[in-house]
Amino acid sequence: MTDRHSYMWQDENHDCGTSNIFETRHERLRRRLSLVIINIVGFISTLGFSIVLTGAYPYLLQIDEESDKRVLGWVIAAQPIGQLISSPIVGWLGNRLGTVRWLCMTTGLLNMMGFVMYAILGDLPQPRRYWMILARFIVGVAAGSVTLCITYISKATTAKERTTFIAINALVSTIGFIVGPAVQSALIPMGTTDLRWNMYTTAGWLAASLTFVQVVLFFPCIFQEFNMAEKEANWNKMISQKKEGNQGFQRINASNDSDEKKRDLIGVFICIFNFSVAGFILIMIETLATPVAMDQLGYSDDEAVKKVGIVLSIGCILTVISFALSGPLARRITERKTLILFGLVPLLLCHVVLLPYSGPTPRMQQQLNDSDMAVMEQSSMKLPVNTSDGGNFTVALALHAPRSSESNSTSHLGCPTSQKWCLYTPAIRAQQLIFGFMFIAIGYAFTATMSTSTMTQVLPPDGQQGTWTGIYQAGGSLARILGPLYLTNVYTVYGPRPTFGSIIALLCGVIILNLYLFKHLIPLAHRSKKIYFDLR
């Protein structure tokens, strides 16, 4: 037989978790192509989510002037609310149907509809803030496809490949999160004057176009599904039958089976909690980065979107490096230690860096109150205007024109007067924001990868990966719901110290919890009695 059609069987003396289990070279290439498509879907999904986030606040103010940061919290939270509802349902349907193709195409069309609605908000009736929230909710419901991606990776890979491909998927998804704001920054030349076609609506149209590409990639002529986990299970069963007469092998195999059948729910829920905390931290950047830059540094809308996008793009490079190092570090010191040392600890350091320590308070917005306006109107009415002598008219213009110009150009720059803490809380420096974002980029990459990889390894291969993955994603969605609502309200009312201080307390508790329940993060395949008790 030729190489193209010859089957590649694994030697019995080798590890049974390689990709050479009963597949032709052509099948292997098609399987790898399907995994590439799944990763593209993960990238498009997160890019579409984040591409609008840095511009969401100024876009919200543009379409609905009565909105504030608390409305922004609901706009950001609407997406994970939709994902929280859809993830368990989509995961269950994926198990029920045994295929991800049609579900991914359906969620892709739904995603496209949500972004089109986001792009045409200027043509919808007031109050437009509710239309914006609805558009983000539809995008969140469509984000249930993320569950399908992880489910398919678990099904289409062997045990040995699984951690690597899950790390790759987490990498491209995180890159999508961080590249999105950079794309929004690149659209700044579009301007903001035309409500139908500006830098914010263009981001919505671009995201809709990307989701259409996602739908096309799942056409039957492009995407073919594989179930390598089932082949691996059959392969192991065949080896077991061949060695049926060997009682020693039977005892070892029975012991391993009994270990694998134990579903460590504590370990699963720790992984879900870690992933949720990481999502809570990441959404802090997406929610507060632009408003904080506008408040603390006195940036204009465009300047804040541009500079935050640049900083997050630099963070993307650190994220790529972190993902590249996650595999080697996990193999050297285990996933559990990598999670704590390189994931949770940098997230903790981030918020220590972001705390305001000392220095001047932020610049305050120059807003005219009603009494000021009345005085100005009264003084202007008292000024005589003689059309024959332009002196007094010139004086009136000199008094009011410069002040009006200054008000229009600078009144909205800085911290709003409604935020009383701005009067006594030191301003956060630009260097603090930059280093804080860098720590988040590193910490989130390690935390998300190690949590996902560990969860797939503490679950037995009993066909329930899709359901548990849906629950796992739902936990992350719940954190991304609570995050924007909590962060925007606490920051607006109390300022950065209570906001970041409370997150520091949360992360300290998470680290202590992981250390206390350290043994539950051991993969099932390694839970022989000796290893289990040695690694407590």
Side-chain angles (χ1 to χ4, degrees):
M1 293 194 298
T2 63
D3 288 343
R4 184 175 181 273
H5 295 285
S6 61
Y7 287 98
M8 297 183 293
W9 290 89
Q10 176 190 327
D11 190 272
E12 294 179 10
N13 295 325
H14 292 172
D15 181 12
C16 61
T18 69
S19 59
N20 296 337
I21 302 172
F22 196 67
E23 68 175 347
T24 65
R25 295 184 187 278
H26 178 68
E27 287 174 340
R28 184 178 185 180
L29 290 175
R30 294 287 298 179
R31 181 169 66 89
R32 292 294 174 88
L33 175 61
S34 71
L35 291 169
V36 170
I37 292 174
I38 288 294
N39 287 328
I40 292 175
V41 171
F43 175 79
I44 290 175
S45 178
T46 54
L47 176 65
F49 169 68
S50 65
I51 194 174
V52 300
L53 287 183
T54 53
Y57 185 52
Y59 187 34
L60 175 65
L61 296 179
Q62 186 181 41
I63 64 170
D64 193 329
E65 295 180 355
E66 296 181 359
S67 299
D68 57 15
K69 294 184 183 71
R70 283 169 284 195
V71 177
L72 175 67
W74 283 105
V75 169
I76 302 301
Q79 194 271 351
I81 288 174
Q83 189 174 1
L84 174 67
I85 296 171
S86 67
S87 289
I89 297 174
V90 170
W92 179 81
L93 286 174
N95 284 337
R96 185 80 173 175
L97 299 176
T99 178
V100 300
R101 183 195 310 280
W102 304 113
L103 287 172
C104 283
M105 293 179 72
T106 302
T107 55
L109 292 172
L110 196 61
N111 209 10
M112 187 165 56
M113 184 176 73
F115 283 119
V116 169
M117 181 182 292
Y118 182 88
I120 63 172
L121 287 174
D123 295 324
L124 298 177
Q126 290 283 10
R128 297 185 181 123
R129 68 181 80 118
Y130 298 117
W131 292 107
M132 193 176 195
I133 292 172
L134 177 60
R136 298 301 297 163
F137 176 79
I138 294 173
V139 171
V141 173
S145 59
V146 176
T147 299
L148 299 174
C149 291
I150 299 177
T151 300
Y152 182 75
I153 292 173
S154 299
K155 183 173 70 171
T157 56
T158 63
K160 187 175 182 180
E161 297 174 326
R162 198 158 296 139
T163 299
T164 299
F165 279 97
I166 286 175
I168 293 173
N169 183 260
L171 167 64
V172 297
S173 297
T174 305
I175 291 176
F177 266 116
I178 301 177
V179 169
V183 176
Q184 178 70 90
S185 298
L187 297 175
I188 287 178
M190 299 290 297
T192 60
T193 54
D194 187 355
L195 194 55
R196 291 186 175 180
W197 191 255
N198 57 34
M199 58 183 286
Y200 309 125
T201 59
T202 303
W205 288 115
L206 179 59
S209 302
L210 290 173
T211 54
F212 177 75
V213 173
Q214 170 186 332
V215 175
V216 172
L217 288 175
F218 280 97
F219 284 0
C221 58
I222 301 176
F223 182 78
Q224 181 181 353
E225 294 188 59
F226 293 87
N227 193 339
M228 206 62 193
E230 183 178 351
K231 286 186 177 182
E232 184 179 34
N234 292 334
W235 172 258
N236 291 335
K237 183 178 179 181
M238 184 188 68
I239 293 179
S240 176
Q241 290 174 348
K242 283 185 177 181
K243 298 186 176 182
E244 195 173 15
N246 189 332
Q247 295 180 356
F249 175 84
Q250 284 182 332
R251 284 194 299 269
I252 295 173
N253 192 52
S255 175
N256 289 338
D257 286 345
S258 64
D259 285 338
E260 289 185 348
K261 289 179 182 178
K262 296 178 181 177
R263 180 183 294 126
D264 191 340
L265 293 180
I266 295 178
V268 172
F269 285 116
I270 293 173
C271 294
I272 294 174
F273 186 58
N274 290 336
F275 181 69
S276 301
V277 170
F280 183 92
I281 302 301
L282 184 65
I283 204 67
M284 184 200 71
I285 288 188
E286 307 291 1
T287 305
L288 289 181
T290 302
V292 167
M294 294 169 65
D295 287 353
Q296 302 289 326
L297 304 177
Y299 290 159
S300 64
D301 299 351
D302 293 351
E303 190 178 11
V305 171
K306 178 181 178 180
K307 292 187 176 181
V308 169
I310 292 173
V311 172
L312 294 185
S313 299
I314 297 173
C316 179
I317 299 174
L318 293 178
T319 301
V320 173
I321 296 174
S322 300
F323 274 110
L325 293 175
S326 63
L329 280 172
R331 287 191 292 270
R332 189 175 184 86
I333 63 173
T334 73
E335 286 91 347
R336 302 169 300 146
K337 295 178 182 178
T338 305
L339 167 70
I340 295 175
L341 295 178
F342 297 93
L344 297 176
V345 170
L347 292 180
L348 176 63
L349 292 176
C350 154
H351 295 88
V352 174
V353 169
L354 287 176
L355 282 174
Y357 289 100
S358 62
T361 58
R363 171 183 181 175
M364 299 298 296
Q365 291 185 3
Q366 300 172 10
Q367 296 180 344
L368 298 176
N369 55 35
D370 293 340
S371 60
D372 292 334
M373 291 297 296
V375 170
M376 289 182 62
E377 290 175 0
Q378 186 178 7
S379 61
S380 63
M381 291 176 64
K382 291 179 179 179
L383 285 171
V385 178
N386 188 348
T387 56
S388 63
D389 181 5
N392 289 334
F393 184 68
T394 305
V395 171
L397 289 178
L399 288 172
H400 294 285
R403 190 168 184 177
S404 175
S405 175
E406 182 183 356
S407 176
N408 290 336
S409 60
T410 64
S411 64
H412 69 289
L413 300 180
C415 219
T417 55
S418 59
Q419 297 176 176
K420 303 302 181 183
W421 52 264
C422 296
L423 299 172
Y424 55 83
T425 303
I428 300 174
R429 297 177 176 85
Q431 296 87 342
Q432 290 178 269
L433 294 176
I434 293 173
F435 283 105
F437 292 167
M438 298 304 104
F439 278 125
I440 288 181
I442 296 171
Y444 177 81
F446 280 105
T447 304
T449 304
M450 294 301 104
S451 298
T452 306
S453 176
T454 303
M455 191 204 68
T456 61
Q457 296 183 67
V458 298
L459 284 174
D462 55 2
Q464 297 297 318
Q465 289 276 351
T467 302
W468 281 103
T469 302
I471 296 172
Y472 180 78
Q473 291 295 326
S477 299
L478 180 61
R480 294 198 302 274
I481 294 169
L482 299 176
L485 299 178
Y486 173 80
L487 294 170
T488 53
N489 280 278
V490 174
Y491 175 79
T492 302
V493 178
Y494 301 105
R497 280 176 173 166
T499 303
F500 301 136
S502 60
I503 298 178
I504 289 173
L506 171 66
L507 286 168
C508 289
V510 173
I511 293 174
I512 293 172
L513 180 65
N514 277 266
L515 292 174
Y516 180 71
L517 300 175
F518 204 49
K519 63 182 180 182
H520 292 279
L521 299 177
I522 301 173
L524 290 180
H526 299 157
R527 291 194 183 183
S528 66
K529 274 191 174 181
K530 181 181 178 185
I531 296 178
Y532 185 74
F533 285 106
D534 284 350
L535 293 180
R536 283 191 175 196

